[in-house]
Amino acid sequence: MATVADLIQEFREDQKDSVAPYFWSDNQLIRWINEGLAQFAINTHAILDYMDISLLPRERFVDVDPSVLAVIEARSNCNGYYEDYYCGYRRPYGCYRHVCYDKLGRIEVYPIPAIAGTLNLKVIRKPLRKLTQKAEQIPDLMDEWLPLIYLFMQYRAYNVADAETFDKTKSNNRYAEFLDGCQRVREECILRTGSCNRPIRSNW
C-alpha cells in the first residue's frame, strides 16, 4: 500500500522539485492529498464500510459518523431479533421499516425503537480522518486509483495564484482529467455491485 511519502516523492520528481528548499512544502502537498481523497470519495462513492450504532428506546434520531455520505443497507438487532430496513433520503409511502439519512449526521429510524438494540449499517463514506504524516499509508484506495489523487495535486499546484507555476489552463485540464477518472471509477463500482445493467453518464 502506498504511503503519503510515495505520492509526494513522485510529485516532486515529476515537477522537478526534489531538492530543498522545496517550492511546495510537505504540509501543502499533504493538504492537497487530503482534499483529493475527500473529493474522490464524494465523486465516486467507491469507499464502502460497515458501522454499528446503538438504538435507544423512544429515540427517533440517531447520530452517525460525519464521514458517512449515504446509507445503503440497514439491519436492526434487538435481543437477537433481526429486521431489515429500507434505506433512502425520504420515507416511501407504504413502507413500514425504513431509515432515512438526512446528511446532517443523523439517521431517522421508523418505527421508533421500543427497546434498545443495534443498527448494523452498510455505508458509503469519506476518509475517516485526515492524513498528517508522510509515513502514513493512504487508506481505502486501490492502487489503480492513486493516479487520480496525483492529478488532483497537479490541479491544485498549477492553481496557486502569484506562483511561478501558475497555469490556469493546465490546472483546469488536470481537474477535468480527475473528474473524468472519478466518473469511470463510479461506473465500475456500479457495474461491480450489480446496481444496474449500465451506468448513466453524469456531469459535475
Side-chain angles (χ1 to χ4, degrees):
M1 183 179 291
T3 64
V4 173
D6 294 332
L7 207 51
I8 289 178
Q9 180 180 354
E10 180 181 357
F11 179 87
R12 291 201 186 284
E13 289 176 352
D14 289 351
Q15 301 301 320
K16 306 298 188 291
D17 189 35
S18 56
V19 179
Y22 301 124
F23 187 81
W24 295 285
S25 69
D26 285 347
N27 288 339
Q28 197 171 27
L29 295 179
I30 291 173
R31 186 174 73 250
W32 294 343
I33 290 173
N34 283 315
E35 291 177 6
L37 290 171
Q39 286 298 311
F40 173 87
I42 292 169
N43 291 342
T44 64
H45 283 194
I47 303 177
L48 302 180
D49 205 351
Y50 294 88
M51 297 180 177
D52 294 338
I53 59 177
S54 298
L55 294 176
L56 299 176
R58 298 177 297 281
E59 289 291 336
R60 179 180 179 183
F61 294 99
V62 184
D63 291 333
V64 295
D65 192 277
S67 67
V68 172
L69 293 169
V71 177
I72 54 179
E73 291 181 11
R75 169 177 283 192
S76 65
N77 177 5
C78 297
N79 292 337
Y81 184 71
Y82 294 90
E83 290 281 358
D84 290 323
Y85 285 70
Y86 171 87
C87 301
Y89 293 111
R90 67 168 68 93
R91 181 173 131 197
Y93 178 77
C95 181
Y96 180 64
R97 294 187 178 276
H98 79 276
V99 294
C100 292
Y101 179 55
D102 62 8
K103 292 193 174 183
L104 295 176
R106 63 182 189 174
I107 287 176
E108 179 186 8
V109 182
Y110 182 86
I112 299 173
I115 60 175
T118 302
L119 196 60
N120 311 123
L121 304 176
K122 183 178 181 180
V123 302
I124 298 168
R125 64 165 175 81
K126 296 180 292 186
L128 294 172
R129 64 177 185 83
K130 291 184 177 181
L131 303 170
T132 58
Q133 304 296 324
K134 292 175 66 175
E136 290 184 90
Q137 293 182 329
I138 297 176
D140 302 320
L141 265 66
M142 299 172 66
D143 288 343
E144 57 262 37
W145 296 343
L146 287 174
L148 295 178
I149 308 304
Y150 181 67
L151 284 172
F152 188 89
M153 295 171 69
Q154 292 182 75
Y155 148 67
R156 293 288 279 114
Y158 293 137
N159 202 33
V160 177
D162 301 324
E164 296 177 10
T165 58
F166 178 77
D167 190 323
K168 192 64 176 178
T169 300
K170 278 188 177 181
S171 177
N172 289 340
N173 289 340
R174 296 300 181 271
Y175 191 55
E177 291 178 53
F178 169 77
L179 292 179
D180 188 62
C182 287
Q183 178 70 45
R184 290 196 303 272
V185 171
R186 185 161 190 170
E187 292 173 359
E188 290 168 3
C189 291
I190 291 172
L191 290 173
R192 187 163 56 246
T193 58
S195 300
C196 65
N197 291 328
R198 181 174 61 86
I200 299 172
R201 276 262 169 185
S202 62
N203 294 314
W204 292 298

